[in-house]
Amino acid sequence: MTEIAITGAAAVVVGELAESPEAVRVRAARAERVTQLVLAAAGRALADAGLMMTDGAPRPRLGVVLGTAFGCFLTNAAYQRRLAADGAKLASPRLFAATVSNAAAGEVAIGFRLGGPAVTVTAGGAAGLLAIAHAADLVATGRADAMVAGGMDASDEALERWLADGGMAMGEAPPRDGAGILVLEPLQGARRRGVPLRGRVLGHAAGFTPERDVEAAAVRAAIVSSLEDAGVQPADLSLVIVRDVPRTAERTRRALQAVFDGTLPRVQYPSAAYGETFAAAGPLALVAALADAGVSAPFLVLDVCPSGHVGALVAAAAAGRA
Amino acid sequence: MVLAGSARAAVITGCGVVSPLGSTLDAFWDGLIAGRCAFAPIRRFPADDLDPATVAEVAGYDEDADRAGAFALTAAEQALEGAGIRIEQLDPARVGVALGTTLGGMAIFETWDAAVAAGSPTPPGLERVPYYSPAARLADVLGARGPVMTPQLACASGTAAAMLAADWVRAGRADVVLAGGTDLLCRFVVAGFNCLHATADVARPFDRDRRGLVLGEGAAVMVVEEATHAARRGARVRARVLGTGAAADATHMTAPDREGSGVVRAVLAALADAGLDPAAVDFVSAHGTGTPFNDAMEARALERLFGDRAVPVNSIKGAIGHTLGAAGAFEAVMCSAVLGDGTVPPIVGLEHPDPACEALDLVRGESRRHDVRVALSTSSGFAGANAALVLGRA
């Protein structure tokens, strides 16, 4: 069993690249907004972990896993608008080439010389947590020495309009841009490198709850599995972070009540701090909790997205930090 | 984390396809073996300003606006039936879905965009637009309540789905996973590949005269199952998933690494995962799009991996076109059949092998009888994504 250390963590809500290395700034200037956010966050997290590198051969044992709800939606909308308005002969090759949700992962791999697994997943708003979970498994099974992992999303008027037209608006919080990025590596490796620990990923699980799952069985199963995976009891938790969305609030409440049976610890909603950042929400809250001196015991980040996707991840801030 | 460790293994116990060669496993396989080509002019949407306008369409499914989701659902139902699995008889939390796509509900998005531009009422079904939607539809309808994810590795997404599925099964995160890919043809994607000058009227993988790819559509879904779970049910194993790997090129966003270094790293990772070295590989299902750069890159990668050893190589993109997020899944299904049948389908469209690819033993003309114990399937996509799958005979 490999323990997973978090050695880098960064929360970014504005794609501000002033502190990024020049090679990365140049690439970011040409990239779409969600990629700029991730480049800024990944740069800070890698520097945090002492793994910053922007030239030389790709490092085959370092990789990236990113999660996103809507990926390249903004680029898709811009490309499609022009295609529909001007016809196929005037379609934009520059925009079309960026209509892939893995563009950010590709740019991170190029910018920071990561030659290992470059994986992007979408699973609604739970995608960021599930990306961290998958990266943790890649590290735990010895497939990588370190992974950049987290969630990202960016929104604009087209996305907001589409969400509203489809009755898919998440809740009261206004949509915002965000990227929450961690660096994960084996605890032993981190100790060998002598880098400060930000925390540990203890366990995780995923599930799927359709609207008719009124008893929230799938949510409950994911929470229970994540705690078992982490080897912790419900009473051991100091904090639960959940997505605050009216459409899944009742299922979330039922599941938490069933698992914690009246002993529910403090509950936090990332949207209160960041607005609705979709797949970045869970990772952003995770980064904040790692930095919160008050959170010393394990905590659960739970995401029950209206799409049905469920992510549950148990982490702990580094023991002994002030 | 309490990972289950090396005691668990992943096997493929069911396969289903909705393909341009037909929407049963038999029609798909028979078409591939016969060297049939499914290319024809676009029928289903306005194509006056699309050039080339040759594609490989799937017949039917006209009534469902979520075409990619509908393809995937049919393919998944076939796979479950073939595996003899009824999800309601399993613990649903132990059943997952990993389904790649590059377009999702893009045709619905096109309709929405047109309605917004015209100021008319917007269409229903907008929740089927996102890339995560086809996987969510499968989970919802079929009752999977475990991990549900949509890998986004552009044209390597189908292979990445099999990778995720096998990784979950081996790590103990699921016992059964519906794994595959689905994509549909629409103006968005045809115009896009056309404006990149990546398309042609005929796909000629590894041919000296290759000019580009032909787009296709469809879905391929496999049941990836834990080996003991399958054995307990007495299920027929079609193939074993021996290893998976992924690697970034980390060189360029749209052009492949000329040396194929990302592919080499992905394959070596998958072989290391399988505990094998390149000498064990009996057959390669290449990405083989028929674009000048891709095929040259792959030839270089395979040469670096296998040296002078002649390993039979094919690509099915000359037959069913490049089905994007479904391509790797179709190729994994094809590899499973090759392992079971001992026949390798030919590369349709290949007439004059590119001298730059002469190190490869390209299967052309007729299908070839060949004893395959270990098959390798590779996929590559935009943003320098590469994924590789090593499958073994049951």
Side-chain angles (χ1 to χ4, degrees), chain A residues 3 5 7 185-197 200 319:
Chain A
E3 290 191 80
T7 53
E185 60 184 299
L187 187 59
Q188 282 194 330
R191 288 199 172 127
R192 231 184 353 257
R193 295 200 306 116
V195 288
L197 297 188
R200 285 180 300 149

Side-chain angles (χ1 to χ4, degrees), chain A residues 224-262:
Chain A
V224 169
S225 295
S226 70
L227 293 172
E228 280 175 8
D229 192 33
V232 303
Q233 299 297 319
D236 297 337
L237 296 184
S238 60
L239 172 70
V240 176
I241 297 163
V242 299
R243 177 179 293 283
D244 180 25
V245 184
R247 283 169 59 199
T248 61
E250 180 56 21
R251 275 174 281 164
T252 303
R253 191 192 63 76
R254 274 183 181 234
L256 288 173
Q257 193 175 41
V259 175
F260 290 92
D261 193 24

Side-chain angles (χ1 to χ4, degrees), chain B residues 122-133:
Chain B
T122 54
L126 292 182
E127 72 281 5
R128 293 287 182 219
V129 169
Y131 297 133
Y132 58 70
S133 166

Side-chain angles (χ1 to χ4, degrees), chain A residues 19-85:
Chain A
E19 356 164 351
S20 300
E22 191 187 345
V24 173
R25 277 206 310 274
V26 169
R27 296 199 65 85
R30 295 191 300 260
E32 63 179 339
R33 189 133 46 92
V34 72
T35 299
Q36 292 172 342
L37 292 162
V38 173
L39 283 170
R44 277 169 44 188
L46 281 164
D48 204 15
L51 291 170
M52 172 61 77
M53 196 170 108
T54 59
D55 53 20
R59 295 174 281 183
R61 297 280 300 167
L62 268 65
V64 53
V65 185
L66 297 175
T68 178
F70 302 118
C72 52
F73 184 99
L74 275 55
T75 305
N76 290 358
Y79 163 81
Q80 171 61 26
R81 190 80 299 281
R82 193 149 141 198
L83 170 61

Side-chain angles (χ1 to χ4, degrees), chain B:
Chain B
M1 298 191 302
V2 191
L3 289 171
S6 58
R8 289 170 67 97
V11 296
I12 296 168
T13 53
C15 296
V17 295
V18 169
S19 90
L21 288 172
S23 295
T24 65
L25 203 51
D26 285 346
F28 172 66
W29 179 242
D30 292 348
L32 290 179
I33 288 293
R36 277 180 53 209
C37 175
F39 301 160
I42 292 170
R43 266 188 325 103
R44 294 193 51 265
F45 48 87
D48 294 350
D49 58 349
L50 297 174
D51 181 22
T54 303
V55 295
E57 287 177 317
V58 164
Y61 294 86
D62 295 324
E63 65 293 337
D64 197 326
D66 175 24
R67 196 167 162 81
F71 291 161
L73 196 52
T74 302
E77 285 166 346
Q78 286 175 23
L80 286 168
E81 193 186 336
I85 284 182
R86 300 168 64 91
I87 291 178
E88 61 271 25
Q89 293 173 349
L90 306 176
D91 175 359
R94 303 291 301 166
V95 182
V97 179
L99 188 75
T101 186
T102 69
L103 294 160
M106 195 59 80
I108 305 172
F109 182 76
E110 290 177 331
T111 311
W112 172 79
D113 174 73
V116 169
S120 31
T122 54
L126 292 182
E127 72 281 5
R128 293 287 182 219
V129 169
Y131 297 133
Y132 58 70
S133 166
R137 183 172 170 184
L138 255 56
D140 184 9
V141 174
L142 300 173
R145 300 291 179 260
V148 175
M149 279 192 234
T150 300
Q152 295 278 279
L153 277 77
C155 298
S157 296
T159 299
M163 176 179 86
L164 284 180
D167 289 357
W168 294 343
V169 162
R170 292 184 299 170
R173 304 210 175 274
D175 295 326
V176 170
V177 181
L178 289 164
T182 186
D183 256 321
L184 81 163
L185 288 162
C186 58
R187 281 180 57 81
F188 182 102
V189 67
V190 179
F193 275 94
N194 282 356
C195 75
L196 290 174
H197 304 291
T199 42
D201 279 315
V202 60
R204 300 189 181 285
F206 302 107
D207 196 290
R208 70 170 191 214
D209 299 323
R210 66 186 184 276
R211 293 288 178 269
L213 57 85
V214 172
L215 289 165
E217 65 179 355
V221 175
M222 294 162 280
V223 171
V224 176
E225 186 172 1
E226 202 283 313
T228 311
H229 192 273
R232 259 202 314 270
R233 299 193 302 113
R236 176 190 156 205
V237 173
R238 289 161 191 273
R240 295 179 293 139
V241 184
L242 301 177
T244 68
D249 275 355
T251 49
H252 194 275
M253 289 300 282
T254 49
D257 181 319
R258 297 295 173 95
E259 288 295 303
S261 299
V263 173
V264 170
R265 281 197 297 274
V267 170
L268 290 177
L271 286 169
D273 186 33
L276 298 172
D277 65 38
V281 174
D282 300 311
F283 163 64
V284 179
S285 164
H287 190 54
T289 57
T291 64
F293 284 142
N294 175 81
D295 295 6
M297 172 280 286
E298 268 194 287
R300 178 76 187 113
L302 295 176
E303 196 182 332
R304 286 174 63 183
L305 286 162
F306 299 113
D308 292 336
R309 191 166 75 87
V311 184
V313 174
N314 86 352
S315 159
I316 59 172
K317 292 188 177 72
I320 64 166
H322 189 352
T323 54
L324 306 172
F330 274 119
E331 286 149 19
V333 168
M334 182 268 293
C335 285
S336 300
V338 167
L339 287 159
D341 190 284
T343 308
V344 177
I347 303 172
V348 177
L350 172 60
E351 289 173 5
H352 306 101
D354 184 345
C357 304
E358 68 181 0
L360 308 185
D361 176 11
L362 299 165
V363 179
R364 65 188 175 110
E366 306 277 302
S367 58
R368 188 194 297 180
R369 293 295 298 170
H370 182 59
D371 187 37
V372 179
R373 289 153 302 164
V374 175
L376 167 70
S377 186
T378 67
S379 297
S380 302
F382 275 0
N386 302 285
L389 201 56
V390 179
L391 299 179
R393 193 154 67 192

